[in-house]
Amino acid sequence: MDYKDLANLIFPDAKDISYYEEKYVKRNLPEGAVVTRYAPSPTGFLHIGSLFQVLISSMMAKKTGGINYLRIEDTDQKREIEGAITSVINSLKDFGIEFDEGQIDEINGKGDYGPYKQSQRKEIYEAYAKYLLSQGKAYPCFATPEELNELREKQEAAKLRTGYYGVWAKYRNLSVEEAVEKIKNGESYVIRLKSPGNEEKKIRHKDVIKGNVEFPENDQDIVIIKGDGLPTYHFAHAVDDHLMQTTLVVRGEEWLSSIPTHLQLFNILGFKAPKYAHIPTIMKMDGESKRKLSKRKDPEAAVDYYTEEGIPKESVLEYLLNIANSNFEIWRKQNPDKKLSEFDFQINKIGVSGALFDMVKMLDVSKNVISRMSAEEVYDKVNEWAKQFDEELSVMLQNKEYALKVFGIERGNTKPRKDISKWSEVKESISYMFNDKFDKNAQFEYAKISDKNEIEKIVKLYIEKYFDINDDKQTWFDKIKDLAEELGYAREVKLFKSEPEKWPGHVGDISTVIRVTLTGRQNTPDLYEIIHVLGKDTVIERLS
Ligand code: GLU
């Protein structure tokens, strides 16, 4: 009996690997095109770090005219969650990320390199495991959990490296006859790689992001097929990324230390290894120290959070690009109107260590992103958000023509308003523009001029003598100055500053009185524009 007999006994029906090697023909792509993928386990939760990762791979595929595909890594069936695949696909779609190829729902995929769901690829892994078994490069291991425990305890007691390797790998050198007998007796087993590695030797690897790294060779006889017949991540990674012809693996840095195992697997299987880009984990400051953004503690770790808060997808993507390439910010300043896809993204410029996530900065980016949107765009997005998350706001926006005017205030000019960072702030920020939301009897907080009689005097004179809805902006402002002067205030701020003791205040204090009376707030966008959108009747009513 030889290895072939053992392989046939274990996987009697598995095909010869030549079948798959021929079935998946070489991709026909332009020179330099990158084939990359997003390969989540379907847990039903999309972490902001995952979005970061997909954004990077999709930028790389787009930039090179390549392919970004979706593969579902569901070999850990204990973690299966109903509807999780569709939910990931939809969450990513919300952020404008769609795949060129791969899984499209819970069951189906599109493309010539599928199935794209690992649980549907069992026979493929079996073929490659059989191929290794038949050459004696893999073997069935009958170690029970108790045996493995005992092994670990012994190693720990002797202060040795733990694991299943070298002399500790009890079933590594079992004869074919002994293995066959155990299988025939119904003993359970896994398939392990017979690692040719030597811990004392080093391997060198050049990571696209991390640069040169050095590790000891892998000498662990890792499991490639588990007791349930499904492959481990390591084995599936090698087989799938080979057959799907991935050229660039973009994945979390927690996998960097598996590089020796993965390169070894590619080598033993006779595959060409892809390039690897291990991206930094997204961190946040917690007091003085950095920590991972945690699914449990930080709501902003979940991608759905941004959708619920109404932080536009454009803002989130733009912020993530900011984290990825520090020159993005300058590019954006110089090219305010360009599409994100026009940015020359450089994967190797991603920082090596933990990317720091800062919500304040994210909202700041978002203010800028929103400031560049047209009133129509803002309206559409707010409206869509409100339909799902805020009925009251949705009702307020029913008069589209009026809402467009409100959103049009200080927009579309060279210095657009920057007071909105997310749609959940919109209702509060525009409520005074709606008569039924504006409580004219509320106690307003005035600024420097807060005496009731003085306020009345100012407002009264303004309506009677200076207010004319038909004035252009310059005339309107000149009239506010005239009003200030008539009431004994400085007509220019400059004048006031040169001799502050001479006046009770200046033109700005006067306009603040009008602003607060009209809107209930000390800070608003341009008052002239507000007056025009509110219209003559509302202005007079509120001021009276
Ligand atoms: N399923 C793995 C994970 O979710 C994929 C890692 C990879 O991209 O290879 O971490």
Side-chain angles (χ1 to χ4, degrees):
M1 270 204 261
D2 61 11
Y3 292 133
K4 280 211 169 60
D5 301 311
L6 180 60
N8 276 324
L9 176 68
I10 296 178
F11 296 121
D13 302 323
K15 293 192 172 71
D16 191 84
I17 62 164
S18 59
Y19 172 81
Y20 300 104
E21 296 294 322
E22 281 156 27
K23 176 176 176 189
Y24 299 111
V25 295
K26 193 167 177 289
R27 288 176 183 274
N28 185 11
L29 291 170
E31 176 85 21
V34 160
V35 178
T36 183
R37 82 295 193 275
Y38 176 50
S41 300
T43 61
F45 177 86
L46 192 63
H47 193 280
I48 186 78
S50 305
L51 181 60
F52 185 52
Q53 183 182 332
V54 194
L55 175 65
I56 293 169
S57 42
S58 87
M59 295 279 291
M60 286 310 289
K62 281 222 180 75
K63 172 177 164 159
T64 59
I67 298 280
N68 184 30
Y69 68 87
L70 175 66
R71 179 171 73 229
I72 300 299
E73 307 214 320
D74 61 342
T75 58
D76 187 354
Q77 306 238 304
K78 287 188 293 278
R79 290 167 65 198
E80 274 290 275
I81 290 176
E82 274 277 308
I85 300 175
T86 323
S87 133
V88 163
I89 293 174
N90 289 340
S91 298
L92 288 172
K93 211 184 262 167
D94 284 346
F95 285 85
I97 294 189
E98 296 193 50
F99 296 91
D100 305 303
E101 175 184 315
Q103 198 65 19
I104 54 168
D105 57 31
E106 299 300 314
I107 303 160
N108 305 291
K110 67 160 192 209
D112 297 334
Y113 298 85
Y116 294 92
K117 185 173 164 174
Q118 289 182 331
S119 57
Q120 295 171 349
R121 300 173 62 78
K122 196 161 174 253
E123 61 165 46
I124 304 179
Y125 306 119
E126 287 174 353
Y128 285 87
K130 182 174 186 179
Y131 169 72
L132 293 181
L133 280 166
S134 65
Q135 300 170 77
K137 292 179 176 170
Y139 63 93
C141 168
F142 301 89
T144 60
E146 295 73 39
E147 274 178 292
L148 292 174
N149 254 339
E150 205 178 300
L151 169 68
R152 204 193 51 244
E153 280 164 18
K154 269 194 202 148
Q155 289 167 332
E156 279 169 357
K159 299 207 164 17
L160 291 168
R161 249 182 335 120
T162 57
Y164 203 84
Y165 61 93
V167 292
W168 301 97
K170 185 171 160 192
Y171 297 93
R172 179 183 168 106
N173 295 315
L174 216 59
S175 70
V176 169
E177 284 75 15
E178 285 170 299
V180 166
E181 194 186 324
K182 282 181 174 294
I183 292 172
K184 289 198 167 147
N185 284 341
E187 286 189 37
S188 39
Y189 58 92
V190 299
I191 311 287
R192 287 184 187 269
L193 182 76
K194 196 182 275 180
S195 171
N198 177 351
E199 231 275 315
E200 269 151 32
K201 288 202 198 138
K202 297 259 188 272
I203 66 135
R204 269 192 205 97
H205 164 71
K206 187 160 196 253
D207 191 83
V208 175
I209 296 175
K210 304 275 173 185
N212 288 319
V213 285
E214 211 179 72
F215 292 103
E217 278 183 13
N218 172 58
D219 67 349
Q220 301 272 347
D221 285 357
I222 57 149
V223 175
I224 58 173
I225 303 282
K226 299 177 291 176
D228 62 6
L230 286 168
T232 53
Y233 165 69
H234 304 302
F235 193 56
H237 157 50
V239 172
D240 292 348
D241 282 312
H242 163 67
L243 291 177
M244 297 178 184
Q245 297 168 36
T246 309
T247 62
L248 175 68
V249 169
V250 177
R251 63 181 181 186
E253 63 186 348
E254 68 276 16
W255 294 111
L256 183 62
S257 59
S258 302
I259 277 290
T261 306
H262 295 165
L263 295 181
Q264 184 180 61
L265 267 171
F266 276 89
N267 190 17
I268 293 173
L269 286 159
F271 303 158
K272 181 172 189 281
K275 286 190 176 163
Y276 288 90
H278 286 95
I279 57 167
T281 307
I282 296 211
M283 313 286 277
K284 84 179 238 178
M285 287 312 280
D286 191 354
E288 295 286 275
S289 54
K290 274 192 201 173
R291 64 167 173 78
K292 278 192 198 171
L293 256 189
S294 125
K295 173 173 166 181
R296 207 167 33 85
K297 287 192 237 164
D298 309 307
E300 73 271 28
V303 161
D304 288 344
Y305 169 84
Y306 302 88
T307 311
E308 284 156 25
E309 284 287 298
I311 301 178
K313 65 167 190 251
E314 293 83 352
S315 306
V316 177
L317 295 179
E318 186 145 337
Y319 178 61
L320 292 177
L321 270 181
N322 247 303
I323 299 185
N325 273 186
S326 56
N327 58 325
F328 176 82
E329 206 168 344
I330 303 168
W331 176 84
R332 179 43 97 202
K333 278 214 179 89
Q334 291 165 348
N335 304 282
D337 302 317
K338 286 203 173 149
K339 290 209 205 92
L340 287 190
S341 53
E342 291 177 67
F343 174 65
D344 182 22
F345 179 70
Q346 300 288 330
I347 194 167
N348 55 0
K349 281 203 191 135
I350 295 176
V352 171
S353 57
L356 203 55
F357 185 91
D358 176 357
M359 202 59 195
V360 175
K361 176 84 187 167
M362 153 91 80
L363 293 177
D364 196 53
V365 166
S366 190
K367 274 185 187 161
N368 283 296
V369 169
I370 294 176
S371 79
R372 292 193 298 267
M373 293 179 184
S374 66
E376 185 87 32
E377 222 177 319
V378 172
Y379 175 82
D380 288 344
K381 288 178 197 288
V382 177
N383 202 27
E384 196 183 312
W385 179 83
K387 273 191 207 142
Q388 208 181 340
F389 299 104
D390 189 340
E391 212 196 310
E392 188 184 359
L393 178 60
S394 183
V395 172
M396 282 162 73
L397 300 179
Q398 266 167 13
N399 182 344
K400 179 170 175 181
E401 202 191 326
Y402 184 71
L404 278 178
K405 283 193 201 156
V406 172
F407 291 129
I409 293 174
E410 272 190 62
R411 196 173 287 284
N413 52 10
T414 46
K415 257 189 94 224
R417 67 193 280 187
K418 289 190 180 170
D419 57 336
I420 302 174
S421 62
K422 49 183 175 178
W423 308 139
S424 51
E425 287 171 356
V426 164
K427 187 166 70 185
E428 150 67 19
S429 95
I430 62 170
S431 61
Y432 61 83
M433 295 304 291
F434 294 80
N435 279 335
D436 59 333
K437 305 287 166 211
F438 182 76
D439 178 7
K440 24 184 206 292
N441 302 316
Q443 275 297 323
F444 293 157
E445 203 161 313
Y446 282 87
K448 187 154 154 197
I449 306 173
S450 57
D451 176 70
K452 194 163 176 272
N453 295 326
E454 187 67 4
I455 290 169
E456 267 181 35
K457 205 163 91 190
I458 296 168
V459 171
K460 198 155 175 267
L461 187 62
Y462 176 63
I463 309 183
E464 282 169 9
K465 188 161 168 197
Y466 292 102
F467 173 59
D468 181 348
I469 195 82
N470 298 315
D471 286 340
D472 63 20
K473 190 158 182 182
Q474 193 52 53
T475 313
W476 171 80
F477 196 45
D478 287 341
K479 283 189 179 173
I480 302 278
K481 289 181 181 175
D482 296 342
L483 168 69
E485 195 165 31
E486 182 171 342
L487 291 167
Y489 291 78
R491 64 177 291 126
E492 308 279 350
V493 181
K494 251 196 336 246
L495 271 178
F496 176 78
K497 285 202 172 141
S498 62
E499 290 171 288
E501 58 300 327
K502 208 172 141 187
W503 329 82
H506 57 71
V507 58
D509 302 317
I510 296 293
S511 65
T512 297
V513 167
I514 297 169
R515 184 189 308 273
V516 176
T517 313
L518 266 181
T519 67
R521 306 178 188 196
Q522 295 180 18
N523 289 310
T524 69
D526 187 76
L527 188 54
Y528 174 79
E529 289 191 50
I530 289 178
I531 288 175
H532 277 259
V533 174
L534 286 176
K536 185 176 165 195
D537 296 345
T538 301
V539 171
I540 291 182
E541 192 201 327
R542 288 190 187 179
L543 292 182
S544 312

